[in-house]
Amino acid sequence: MNHNLHALFESRFPLDRDTVFLETDHGVAVTFRELDQATARFASYLTGLGLKPGDRVAAQVEKSPQALFLYLGCLRAGLVWLPLNTAYQSAEVEYFLGNAEPRAVITQPKSLAWTDEICTRLVIPHLLTLDEHGQGTLMERSAAATATFDTAMRAADDLAAILYTSGTTGRSKGAMITHRNLASNALALHKTWGFRPGDVLLHTLPLFHVHGLFVACHCALLNGGRMIFHSRFEAAAVMRALPRATVFMGVPTYYVRLLADEKFDRAHVANIRLFISGSAPLLTETFEAFRERTGKVILERYGMTETGMITSNPLEGERKGGTVGPPLPGVSVLVEGADGAPVKSGEIGDILVKGDNVLPGYWRMPEKNAEEFTADGYFKTGDVGRFDEDGYLSIVGRSKDLVITGGYNVYPKEIELLLDEMPGVAESAVIGVPHPDFGEAVTAVVVQKAGATPVVESEVIAMLKSKLANFKVPKRVHVVTDLPRNAMGKVQKNVLRQQYGKA
Ligand code: MLC
Ligand code: AMP
């Protein structure tokens, strides 16, 4: 049997290949026949360049139907997909490419010059472009490639993708995701969320992370059904498109932004059977306000890059606000106390996960594998939670030092390392404080070095903007004379969160 995820998708495509798979916000419709040909062309072209199953293809491209087809073409050819957020800057990208050693890189025309320098330094043989309109050298050069392709044979444990996640040490790790991981999770979600013929998914998430790429697209592909594909989230465009959709997925910020528009009401959502939220905590206020305004109960689920989706509130039965629901079928979740034994329901502990959805390990980092898994194969999520008496999980905090802003993860250490190198900065602490739109806002607290040039907030922000993806840059920088510490000398970030959370 071929365990290639693409073979699973193909088996679900409608018999009538003229069925529409995707329509864009510009009214372009793509049928399953066109999808099949587009992915075959990319697979033929890339294998024609000499790429072999297992080789990595990195892409830092804006969302477009072609970007999705390129991902699917890579799956089809057995190549390993390495998506990169378009906000990443050159130093961030150089690290990922140096670590993953892709044989081909696809970038945006505007990033070509610096990406070319990186590829030359790292001796990466193929560099192509793809812009937000789905145009570029990739399209020009692959246009003549054969539009048929026999999907490559893959074993379930072969890699399908590598997704980089930052770490608490400030160094990113490549999460290795297999065909088994993706297939098991996609099948569980498709079933749990009751996807059925006629469903139309309104897709407004970015394509370079788990939520938009795997959770959303895989459900639509398994359903052999239609997606309305917006290049980005924009509340007014979403309100216009909702009446033609049946399912919508988003990070909490999307729901906050929809509610912020007074015109958003029951008429917009009448056709929607399911609103799903994830990637960050959905505030109970947002959950309740949405129910009040629209009459719809948002289904909240929980997951992470390394594990795909872990739990979900039910389709039928009670969706409890402030919880992320019971474990998905085939996923085992433990909440463990400090002694390593599972705690009773109602008690708080570390969340551990095991199942076909969980990554086999990190790319070329055996030491991280040893740290992040227990002896009996459970993955340590770094999230802290509790089960209620009905088996619903609530996330109550994180043992990892992480800020989630608008659904994007920011690891404070990465920013602190840059701040600490600045002249005038003795030390720093980066925290997340409540933010009405992004959920949490990245905030820096820096200690002024005695006698050195004064640290200026705008200059710190400008320096960080030149080096880091924009969403990681602190919204505020507070300059202080010292940081609060506990008896062990550890910086008390909870004290800082209290102090600056109100500002
Ligand atoms: C943009 N900005 C952000 C930000 N996004 N700041 C903090 N947090 C964010 N998430 C800032 C930019 O730096 C810029 O600032 C300004 O906002 C305008 O940028 P923009 O790109 O025009 O913003 P906008 O389009 O409004 O984007 C906001 C957003 C977007 C919420 C629509 O961030 C988004 O789509 N987030 C979804 C993230 C996601 O898909 N997460 C899933 C991860 S998978 P300046 O100063 O530079 O002008 C995962 C697993 C799981 O977590 O369980 O799903
Ligand atoms: P990422 O590394 O981008 O995949 O982010 C995964 C992290 O997002 C998880 O470890 C959680 O901390 C957080 N997360 C995802 N979904 C939820 C949710 N519904 N509620 C709270 N936190 C969430």
Side-chain angles (χ1 to χ4, degrees):
M1 176 182 170
N2 188 0
H3 290 275
N4 191 319
L5 177 66
H6 198 275
L8 173 64
F9 294 149
E10 285 168 61
S11 73
R12 301 294 192 98
F13 287 175
L15 289 177
D16 178 3
R17 296 289 159 111
D18 290 325
T19 307
V20 171
F21 163 59
L22 173 155
E23 65 177 87
T24 68
D25 29 5
H26 304 297
V28 177
V30 179
T31 65
F32 277 91
R33 187 187 316 285
E34 290 164 329
L35 169 72
D36 181 55
Q37 291 171 347
T39 61
R41 234 180 256 118
F42 284 140
S44 306
Y45 173 68
L46 291 168
T47 49
L49 290 179
L51 272 69
K52 303 249 170 349
D55 283 344
R56 276 78 61 206
V57 174
Q60 189 186 30
V61 295
E62 290 295 352
K63 183 177 178 182
S64 68
Q66 288 69 26
L68 174 60
F69 305 157
L70 178 61
Y71 158 61
L72 294 170
C74 286
L75 277 183
R76 203 166 174 178
L79 303 170
V80 179
W81 183 242
L82 198 167
L84 295 171
N85 193 319
T86 46
Y88 293 147
Q89 303 220 37
S90 57
E92 293 162 301
V93 170
E94 181 148 7
Y95 171 78
F96 300 131
L97 299 186
N99 189 253
E101 299 184 347
R103 300 246 5 244
V105 175
I106 325 296
T107 191
Q108 311 161 90
K110 67 176 183 209
S111 310
L112 184 59
W114 60 260
T115 310
D116 192 21
E117 284 172 24
I118 295 174
C119 289
T120 304
R121 270 198 295 280
L122 297 175
V123 201
I124 296 171
H126 305 287
L127 173 61
L128 297 141
T129 60
L130 183 67
D131 70 14
E132 66 272 33
H133 309 294
Q135 301 293 324
T137 55
L138 172 71
M139 300 310 291
E140 289 155 21
R141 294 184 200 167
S142 62
T146 326
T148 55
F149 190 88
D150 289 334
T151 298
M153 288 299 288
R154 293 278 79 193
D157 290 325
D158 284 336
L159 292 194
I162 298 178
L163 274 77
Y164 278 85
T165 69
S166 299
T168 42
T169 56
R171 194 160 152 241
S172 292
K173 308 163 283 189
M176 299 194 294
I177 313 291
T178 65
H179 289 266
R180 182 199 306 279
N181 295 152
L182 295 178
S184 69
N185 216 231
L187 289 166
L189 295 177
H190 184 264
K191 188 154 186 267
T192 301
W193 293 340
F195 272 89
R196 52 196 187 214
D199 264 336
V200 178
L201 174 72
L202 176 54
H203 190 299
T204 68
L205 286 152
L207 274 188
F208 29 67
H209 293 294
V210 164
H211 197 164
L213 186 62
F214 298 156
V215 181
C217 293
H218 290 181
C219 280
L221 284 157
L222 281 186
N223 206 43
R226 188 186 288 225
M227 278 199 281
I228 301 175
F229 208 65
H230 286 189
S231 51
R232 56 194 288 274
F233 174 85
E234 211 257 303
V238 166
M239 281 158 58
R240 282 195 298 277
L242 280 173
R244 291 184 296 116
T246 62
V247 180
F248 179 77
M249 293 182 194
V251 298
T253 300
Y254 293 7
Y255 293 100
V256 169
R257 289 190 180 182
L258 284 169
L259 287 167
D261 190 321
E262 283 168 10
K263 293 189 291 305
F264 179 62
D265 65 12
R266 284 173 190 247
H268 292 103
V269 306
N271 202 41
I272 299 287
R273 69 166 184 86
L274 190 57
F275 282 101
I276 302 170
S277 175
S279 307
L282 180 72
L283 294 183
T284 316
E285 293 101 274
T286 312
F287 175 84
E288 292 301 346
F290 201 85
R291 172 156 48 191
E292 193 137 304
R293 181 91 67 89
T294 65
K296 304 278 178 181
V297 182
I298 298 173
L299 178 154
E300 185 173 7
R301 57 64 179 175
Y302 158 62
M304 62 190 297
T305 302
E306 285 94 331
T307 62
M309 298 305 100
I310 301 168
T311 67
S312 170
N313 269 282
L315 182 67
E316 310 292 346
E318 191 186 359
R319 294 177 201 159
K320 295 190 197 177
T323 84
V324 292
L328 285 162
V331 181
S332 165
V333 179
L334 293 179
V335 175
E336 272 191 6
D339 59 355
V343 297
K344 292 206 258 335
S345 66
E347 286 176 13
I348 291 174
D350 293 319
I351 302 174
L352 308 178
V353 188
K354 193 172 175 176
D356 282 349
N357 56 313
V358 175
L359 84 169
Y362 294 102
W363 176 256
R364 293 180 181 161
M365 284 193 186
E367 72 289 357
K368 290 283 170 204
N369 299 343
E371 276 169 31
E372 311 281 343
F373 286 88
T374 63
D376 49 357
Y378 275 84
F379 177 73
K380 302 176 191 169
T381 63
D383 292 310
V384 174
R386 89 175 139 240
F387 275 117
D388 70 11
E389 62 288 356
D390 300 324
Y392 284 53
L393 186 70
S394 295
I395 316 290
V396 301
R398 300 172 201 135
S399 58
K400 54 192 170 191
D401 191 12
L402 163 69
V403 179
I404 306 184
T405 170
Y408 285 140
N409 288 6
V410 179
Y411 279 84
K413 192 74 190 170
E414 187 180 0
I415 300 156
E416 289 162 1
L417 289 172
L418 288 174
L419 289 171
D420 293 350
E421 280 173 11
M422 282 193 86
V425 173
E427 59 171 341
S428 62
V430 169
I431 52 170
V433 301
H435 188 278
D437 182 36
F438 293 126
E440 285 184 285
V442 177
T443 302
V445 185
V446 300
V447 175
Q448 170 74 51
K449 202 181 267 174
T453 352
V455 177
V456 178
E457 179 174 26
S458 58
E459 288 171 11
V460 175
I461 289 178
M463 184 282 288
L464 291 175
K465 270 196 174 167
S466 72
K467 301 206 164 159
L468 289 174
N470 57 10
F471 61 87
K472 297 180 187 170
V473 176
K475 305 288 180 210
R476 287 297 317 269
V477 177
H478 303 279
V479 183
V480 298
T481 48
D482 54 16
L483 294 173
R485 291 182 187 278
N486 65 14
M488 312 288 287
K490 198 169 177 292
V491 174
Q492 291 172 300
K493 289 199 168 179
N494 51 338
V495 173
L496 292 174
R497 276 190 286 268
Q498 286 261 320
Q499 190 173 348
Y500 295 102
K502 294 185 215 94

